Amino acid sequence: MLKKIGRLFIIKTRFEACLIIYALAAGAMARGTAYLHEFPGFGGQLLLVACSGSVFLAGAKIFDCLRYEQAERRATEPPAG
């Protein structure tokens, strides 16, 4: 039963990865705009850029890991035929 629940938290496709990255981006931009209100000026803008940059880094890492896991899965499965 726990394995079935655990599989819900595994990213299997690029579409799922895009949905997660979108959710990260929405949250990061909300936090970035809050920073702009809390720290007006250059400091707030730097924090906003840091928030958006973290989403780019996380998204790239998610896509890289997904590609690696799919290649590993293809290499270990027996040939069809």
Side-chain angles (χ1 to χ4, degrees), residues 1 3 5 10 15 22 24 30 32 36 38 40 42 54 61-63 67 69 72 74:
M1 181 66 171
K3 285 187 179 185
I5 294 171
I10 296 174
F15 179 71
Y22 176 78
L24 287 172
L36 280 177
E38 277 184 54
F42 189 66
S54 66
K61 186 67 173 176
I62 290 171
F63 281 137
R67 186 180 310 130
E69 288 173 356
E72 184 181 0
R74 274 188 241 115

Side-chain angles (χ1 to χ4, degrees), residues 24-71:
L24 287 172
M29 288 299 99
R31 185 70 234 163
T33 54
Y35 282 142
L36 280 177
H37 291 289
E38 277 184 54
F39 307 106
F42 189 66
Q45 291 172 352
L46 282 178
L47 289 170
L48 175 70
V49 169
C51 287
S52 64
S54 66
V55 174
F56 284 114
L57 293 174
K61 186 67 173 176
I62 290 171
F63 281 137
D64 284 346
C65 290
L66 187 61
R67 186 180 310 130
Y68 173 76
E69 288 173 356
Q70 287 175 348

